[in-house]
Amino acid sequence: MMKTGTQTSRRQFIRNTAKGSLAITLGMAGLSMMSSSCKTTKKVTTGPVGLGFDQTPLPYAYNALENIIDATTMEIHYTRHAAGYSKSLKEAAIQENVPEGTTVETILKNISGYSQKMRNNAGGHYNHEMFWHTMRPKTADNKPAGALLLALENRFGSFGNFKDKFNEAAKTRFGSGWAWLYTDAAGVLKIGSTANQDNPLMNTGEINGFPLLGIDVWEHAYYLKYQNKRMDYVDGWWSLVNWDAVQNRFA
Ligand code: MN
């Protein structure tokens, strides 16, 4: 558990009512969510940096990625799988007395001090919020530009080499997990993968850094359309990558 807050505030926290504890845990977003009179809640739509515990609205329609990711897969993925991670994250936050205002990133960076439930669901929530916001409707000849493209070319030789290496990470992740482009502590671009809902932010992982781009290679992300053909899904997904969002994370 993180060493934030005094023992006094910890006791006060525990003494709160269930609803009060929930409100404290969720911060203003949670309070707004629970207040039916509040119709003007400002939703974060820019992705998971500073992310709260609630799902943000999907930044496009369920069918906006059709031909690559079908609408049924998107709807089930967002409203069931990802919603489940958010819900269980909020439960874990209450059970583990997470202090007011704690961001998901802070939890992930200190994940060794939390439960397996927190690890699975804080990771799941963060990873999916990032995933939705680093996709957009299909773009022909989709590739990054500017500083990010230069950095990828410098690091991997060419954009094509980068894609080949990333594809290999996605292909060889055994079972459920994610493949990542991330920057390490020195700011060096790296490619890797993680199991389950782990990600590079976690202080328990084999890879550590800040995730710029990730692909969900759990079967629930592609099985309806692609069945066992994971790499057909990955090949199509490249045309959906929102390189502007990735550039923003890189900057
Ligand atoms: Mn998923």
Short mmCIF file of all heavy atoms in Angstrom, two decimals, residues 77 81 85 128 132 178 197 216 218 220-221, ligand 1:
data_model
loop_
_atom_site.label_atom_id
_atom_site.label_comp_id
_atom_site.label_asym_id
_atom_site.label_seq_id
_atom_site.Cartn_x
_atom_site.Cartn_y
_atom_site.Cartn_z
N HIS A 77 -16.99 -5.45 -26.21
CA HIS A 77 -15.69 -5.14 -25.61
C HIS A 77 -15.79 -3.92 -24.68
O HIS A 77 -15.28 -3.92 -23.56
CB HIS A 77 -14.68 -4.89 -26.74
CG HIS A 77 -13.24 -5.06 -26.36
ND1 HIS A 77 -12.22 -4.94 -27.27
CD2 HIS A 77 -12.64 -5.33 -25.18
CE1 HIS A 77 -11.07 -5.14 -26.67
NE2 HIS A 77 -11.30 -5.37 -25.39
N HIS A 81 -16.64 -6.11 -21.27
CA HIS A 81 -15.28 -6.37 -20.77
C HIS A 81 -14.70 -5.12 -20.09
O HIS A 81 -14.34 -5.17 -18.91
CB HIS A 81 -14.35 -6.80 -21.92
CG HIS A 81 -14.74 -8.10 -22.53
ND1 HIS A 81 -14.43 -9.31 -21.96
CD2 HIS A 81 -15.43 -8.39 -23.66
CE1 HIS A 81 -14.90 -10.30 -22.71
NE2 HIS A 81 -15.51 -9.77 -23.75
N TYR A 85 -13.88 -4.01 -15.94
CA TYR A 85 -12.61 -3.61 -15.31
C TYR A 85 -12.83 -2.33 -14.49
O TYR A 85 -12.32 -2.21 -13.38
CB TYR A 85 -11.52 -3.39 -16.36
CG TYR A 85 -11.19 -4.62 -17.18
CD1 TYR A 85 -11.25 -4.59 -18.57
CD2 TYR A 85 -10.83 -5.81 -16.56
CE1 TYR A 85 -10.95 -5.72 -19.33
CE2 TYR A 85 -10.54 -6.95 -17.31
CZ TYR A 85 -10.61 -6.90 -18.70
OH TYR A 85 -10.32 -8.02 -19.44
N HIS A 128 -7.56 -0.35 -21.64
CA HIS A 128 -8.68 -0.18 -22.58
C HIS A 128 -8.95 1.28 -22.88
O HIS A 128 -9.22 1.64 -24.04
CB HIS A 128 -9.92 -0.91 -22.08
CG HIS A 128 -9.79 -2.40 -22.23
ND1 HIS A 128 -9.15 -3.17 -21.30
CD2 HIS A 128 -10.16 -3.24 -23.25
CE1 HIS A 128 -9.14 -4.44 -21.73
NE2 HIS A 128 -9.74 -4.51 -22.90
N TRP A 132 -8.90 2.57 -26.76
CA TRP A 132 -9.97 3.27 -27.50
C TRP A 132 -9.45 4.58 -28.09
O TRP A 132 -9.80 4.96 -29.20
CB TRP A 132 -11.16 3.59 -26.61
CG TRP A 132 -11.71 2.50 -25.75
CD1 TRP A 132 -12.10 2.63 -24.43
CD2 TRP A 132 -12.00 1.13 -26.10
NE1 TRP A 132 -12.56 1.42 -23.96
CE2 TRP A 132 -12.53 0.50 -24.95
CE3 TRP A 132 -11.84 0.39 -27.26
CZ2 TRP A 132 -12.90 -0.86 -24.93
CZ3 TRP A 132 -12.21 -0.96 -27.26
CH2 TRP A 132 -12.73 -1.56 -26.11
N TRP A 178 -1.07 -8.00 -24.08
CA TRP A 178 -0.94 -6.79 -24.88
C TRP A 178 0.47 -6.69 -25.45
O TRP A 178 1.43 -7.14 -24.81
CB TRP A 178 -1.18 -5.55 -24.00
CG TRP A 178 -2.58 -5.42 -23.50
CD1 TRP A 178 -3.17 -6.18 -22.51
CD2 TRP A 178 -3.58 -4.51 -23.96
NE1 TRP A 178 -4.48 -5.77 -22.34
CE2 TRP A 178 -4.76 -4.75 -23.20
CE3 TRP A 178 -3.59 -3.49 -24.92
CZ2 TRP A 178 -5.92 -4.02 -23.39
CZ3 TRP A 178 -4.75 -2.76 -25.11
CH2 TRP A 178 -5.90 -3.03 -24.36
N GLN A 197 -3.64 -8.21 -17.98
CA GLN A 197 -3.86 -6.77 -18.12
C GLN A 197 -2.68 -5.97 -17.57
O GLN A 197 -2.83 -4.79 -17.24
CB GLN A 197 -5.18 -6.36 -17.42
CG GLN A 197 -6.43 -6.94 -18.05
CD GLN A 197 -6.66 -6.47 -19.49
OE1 GLN A 197 -6.00 -5.55 -19.97
NE2 GLN A 197 -7.61 -7.10 -20.17
N ASP A 216 -4.54 -4.82 -27.84
CA ASP A 216 -5.18 -5.87 -27.06
C ASP A 216 -5.16 -7.15 -27.90
O ASP A 216 -5.79 -7.19 -28.96
CB ASP A 216 -6.62 -5.42 -26.76
CG ASP A 216 -7.36 -6.33 -25.81
OD1 ASP A 216 -6.90 -7.46 -25.57
OD2 ASP A 216 -8.42 -5.89 -25.31
N TRP A 218 -6.04 -10.14 -26.44
CA TRP A 218 -6.97 -11.10 -25.87
C TRP A 218 -7.92 -11.55 -27.00
O TRP A 218 -8.30 -10.74 -27.85
CB TRP A 218 -7.81 -10.46 -24.76
CG TRP A 218 -7.11 -10.22 -23.46
CD1 TRP A 218 -5.96 -9.50 -23.25
CD2 TRP A 218 -7.56 -10.66 -22.16
NE1 TRP A 218 -5.66 -9.49 -21.91
CE2 TRP A 218 -6.62 -10.19 -21.22
CE3 TRP A 218 -8.65 -11.42 -21.73
CZ2 TRP A 218 -6.75 -10.44 -19.85
CZ3 TRP A 218 -8.77 -11.66 -20.36
CH2 TRP A 218 -7.81 -11.19 -19.44
N HIS A 220 -11.00 -11.91 -26.92
CA HIS A 220 -12.25 -11.14 -26.94
C HIS A 220 -12.15 -9.91 -27.85
O HIS A 220 -13.16 -9.34 -28.24
CB HIS A 220 -12.74 -10.77 -25.53
CG HIS A 220 -11.90 -9.76 -24.79
ND1 HIS A 220 -11.50 -9.92 -23.48
CD2 HIS A 220 -11.39 -8.57 -25.16
CE1 HIS A 220 -10.79 -8.88 -23.09
NE2 HIS A 220 -10.72 -8.05 -24.10
N ALA A 221 -10.93 -9.49 -28.15
CA ALA A 221 -10.74 -8.31 -29.00
C ALA A 221 -10.95 -8.61 -30.48
O ALA A 221 -11.15 -7.69 -31.28
CB ALA A 221 -9.34 -7.74 -28.79
MN MN B 1 -9.89 -6.22 -24.04
#
